[in-house]
Amino acid sequence: MDRRKLLRLLATAGAAPLLAPLAHAAGPENWQTEFNAAGAPWKLGFATPPGDLPLTPATVRGRFPDALRGSLYRIGPAGHDLGGERYHHWFDGDGMTQRFLIEGSEVRHQGRYVATAKRTSELRAGHRLTEGFGTIIAGVEPPESPDSINVANTSLLPLSGELLALWEGGSATRLDPRTLDTLGLKTWRADLAGLPFSAHPKVDPDGTVWNFGVGASQGLLVLYELAPDGALRRADAVPVPDLPMVHDFAVTDRHLVFLMPPLVYDAQRKQAGASFLDAHVWRPELGMRVLVVDKKDWKKRQTLALPAGFLFHLGNAWSEEAADGTVIHVDYVRSNTAASVFTTNREVMRARRVRCAEPHLTVATLNLGSGRATQTTLPLEAEFPRIDPRRVGLRHRRVVHATQVAQDRPGFAAIAVTDVESGSSQCFVYGQQAMVEEHVFVPDGAGAGWVLGTVLDFAQKKTVLSCFAADRLGDGPVAQATLPYSLPLGLHGVFVSA
């Protein structure tokens, strides 16, 4: 099948899971009422800001290093309820972008909802008009296309003077990086309009951008290669049998690496009225398939096998030559099952804490010559892994990640830097009344670099931005900026120097 036919099929695949008839809606329980009545103080992280947040100064302790002069952008689900109807999954909320403008001893913050077509039309109507990733809304019409339910709430990519707000199932959304104004959808080529452009692109040290998109119902994986200036170099579709839910991937200097958990889309479930999430089935007999694609020739592909498990995020991958061929090393955050996406991330929408299998930092070795894959799980609870951006696709050792799963609330209590080769780790514990968000690594010339990130202090009802020396994380923050208010818990972010 030629490329254009595959891309047309992928466009159908993007819409088909979402255009199925709605056979039933969510149960009669009122999640908004339950959330409002709950006494859990941490529910603040899942509350809905009533509107945009103007540029506001933070209270700064210490001084942020010169290497951090610039902006930390973060994004996540924030619009969780509308017209008395609350979403039933954290990932469904309308996206809100946060900007922390850092200038030494001064930090200012602004936050704006992404004005997607979905959010604009629903605000005008005063109620939800379409379903979400994990929520069926009674009485709504099926969406016209994936972008009609695009919430632009997962990640951000600075590219060619713009800031792209990314989702899983549709187009990237263009933002002005200074004002956070929404500028419209990004289309690289007419036949790619509306195709999924996923939330975790990888940027090579030379600036080349790689990404993918999942067309679940047709078993098609679309691949993208962009030049450093944002121009499209290549896009094509690759057939993958039993294509699962894939959120992230990794690159080496020569390969694209996809870890594919056995969480597979079932069209019959969707046709019976399930949400897109609930149309997926856990099939552990498939194991964790690993798809390795040659960067230069996407027709050169190899599949390896790891034990069944689930993941959201990868840290990094790199390759070396051995006597029997190429060996790829890749680190990722692994759980035994996918229960978290079905239960933990759903029940927080009514302020309930439900624990599932905890994620752990895991290092896999893929021998392309023998076709054998092995892995080692480190005794470290982990999520949101990030590395030095200069080492993407190259040999690395340090991974920054959240750690220490909290017992009585969702999320993590500490941030860590772990050496994935030796297993040694240093961490800073924020405390039992703080919910740790993703922290990023910011280089500083030839120095050790800095770790920069946010936490929600739900005791103070404030969000705090902290900076650590990457080689002395355990010493605590060298600077902190405390906002006079709290922000909803977000997902991913990126630092852009001034």
Side-chain angles (χ1 to χ4, degrees):
M1 186 178 296
D2 66 36
R3 177 181 59 81
R4 294 194 178 274
K5 286 183 179 179
L6 277 173
L7 291 173
R8 284 197 296 272
L9 272 175
L10 184 62
T12 304
L18 306 167
L19 296 175
L22 304 181
H24 66 79
E29 66 269 41
N30 189 316
W31 287 44
Q32 184 68 65
T33 299
E34 291 187 50
F35 182 82
N36 292 343
W42 54 260
K43 75 176 187 180
L44 190 64
F46 304 96
T48 296
D52 294 342
L53 301 168
L55 196 63
T56 302
T59 300
V60 176
R61 179 183 63 80
R63 187 181 187 280
F64 286 80
D66 290 341
L68 298 180
R69 184 174 293 272
S71 294
L72 173 67
Y73 296 97
R74 288 187 45 75
I75 198 168
H80 298 298
D81 49 72
L82 180 65
E85 181 80 42
R86 185 167 176 82
Y87 277 133
H88 294 191
H89 201 286
W90 182 32
F91 297 168
D92 284 334
D94 295 326
M96 189 179 207
T97 306
Q98 317 292 346
R99 182 192 185 197
F100 294 85
L101 182 60
I102 304 170
E103 296 174 311
S105 58
E106 295 184 0
V107 173
R108 290 171 290 165
H109 167 266
Q110 68 181 125
R112 294 192 68 178
Y113 279 102
V114 184
T116 61
K118 170 191 176 296
R119 178 169 174 81
T120 301
S121 60
E122 290 184 337
L123 286 179
R124 188 182 302 118
H127 59 86
R128 297 298 181 197
L129 299 175
T130 188
E131 64 184 276
F133 167 77
T135 309
I136 296 293
I137 305 294
V140 301
E141 294 295 322
E144 297 177 355
S145 68
D147 278 337
S148 68
I149 67 166
N150 189 337
V151 286
N153 70 0
T154 309
S155 190
L156 295 161
L157 174 67
L159 190 66
S160 192
E162 292 182 333
L163 188 66
L164 300 183
L166 307 179
W167 184 54
E168 293 295 298
S171 304
T173 301
R174 299 164 48 236
L175 305 178
D176 182 308
R178 184 180 63 86
T179 65
L180 304 184
D181 286 343
T182 301
L183 306 177
L185 298 177
K186 177 70 175 180
T187 301
W188 278 275
R189 197 173 66 202
D191 61 329
L192 300 175
L195 295 189
F197 186 84
S198 197
H200 285 286
K202 303 302 177 189
V203 183
D204 278 343
D206 69 358
T208 299
V209 179
W210 304 90
N211 204 5
F212 70 99
V214 172
S217 68
Q218 295 289 343
L220 292 171
L221 184 71
V222 67
L223 304 177
Y224 298 88
E225 180 187 358
L226 308 177
D229 65 359
L232 180 72
R233 286 177 178 164
R234 282 186 294 169
D236 210 340
V238 172
V240 178
D242 295 318
L243 181 60
M245 186 181 292
V246 180
H247 177 72
D248 195 1
F249 77 127
V251 299
T252 73
D253 57 339
R254 293 165 46 198
H255 299 95
L256 314 177
V257 182
F258 297 88
L259 301 187
M260 301 190 297
L263 186 61
V264 179
Y265 178 77
D266 183 340
Q268 292 184 347
R269 288 193 174 209
K270 190 70 187 91
Q271 291 166 3
S275 68
F276 181 70
L277 168 63
D278 294 310
H280 285 78
V281 182
W282 184 248
R283 294 181 54 191
E285 72 276 8
L286 294 175
M288 176 86 78
R289 291 170 294 157
V290 183
L291 175 65
V292 179
V293 182
D294 189 288
K295 274 184 171 179
K296 292 183 178 179
D297 184 355
W298 293 345
K299 294 181 180 178
K300 293 181 178 178
R301 303 189 292 271
Q302 184 173 350
T303 302
L304 300 88
L306 286 169
F310 181 73
L311 77 153
F312 283 119
H313 302 118
L314 294 92
N316 190 41
W318 60 278
S319 64
E320 62 180 342
E321 294 304 313
D324 53 352
T326 301
V327 174
I328 294 175
H329 306 268
V330 57
D331 45 84
Y332 72 106
V333 175
R334 180 186 183 278
S335 299
N336 288 332
T337 73
S340 63
V341 70
F342 286 100
T343 305
T344 305
N345 293 320
R346 176 168 268 153
E347 290 299 319
V348 294
M349 286 294 96
R350 42 185 169 187
R352 294 181 180 176
R353 164 68 162 135
V354 177
R355 295 189 64 185
C356 294
E358 310 297 3
H360 284 77
L361 193 59
T362 300
V363 181
T365 301
L366 316 174
N367 190 313
L368 303 188
S370 67
R372 184 169 179 262
T374 59
Q375 66 183 15
T376 301
T377 298
L378 304 180
L380 287 164
E381 296 163 339
E383 245 311 346
F384 300 123
R386 296 295 296 263
I387 67 159
D388 182 337
R390 299 170 299 184
R391 305 304 301 170
V392 171
L394 305 177
R395 186 168 186 170
H396 69 295
R397 296 189 67 158
R398 293 186 298 177
V399 175
V400 178
H401 60 92
T403 192
Q404 290 195 8
V405 171
Q407 303 300 310
D408 59 348
R409 56 181 170 77
F412 299 84
I415 190 71
V417 175
T418 297
D419 185 321
V420 292
E421 292 191 11
S422 70
S424 64
S425 185
Q426 57 172 313
C427 80
F428 174 79
V429 180
Y430 278 101
Q432 291 306 307
Q433 294 181 314
M435 300 174 77
V436 175
E437 299 189 274
E438 178 190 69
H439 286 45
V440 300
F441 183 97
V442 181
D444 189 357
W450 306 97
V451 174
L452 181 68
T454 50
V455 297
L456 170 61
D457 184 330
F458 57 82
Q460 294 190 69
K461 298 183 179 180
K462 295 178 179 180
T463 291
V464 181
L465 174 70
S466 301
C467 166
F468 303 82
D471 59 344
R472 299 190 306 277
L473 190 77
D475 292 347
V478 299
Q480 287 189 305
T482 302
L483 299 182
Y485 43 76
S486 65
L487 301 175
L489 291 170
L491 293 171
H492 302 290
V494 61
F495 176 79
V496 179
S497 60

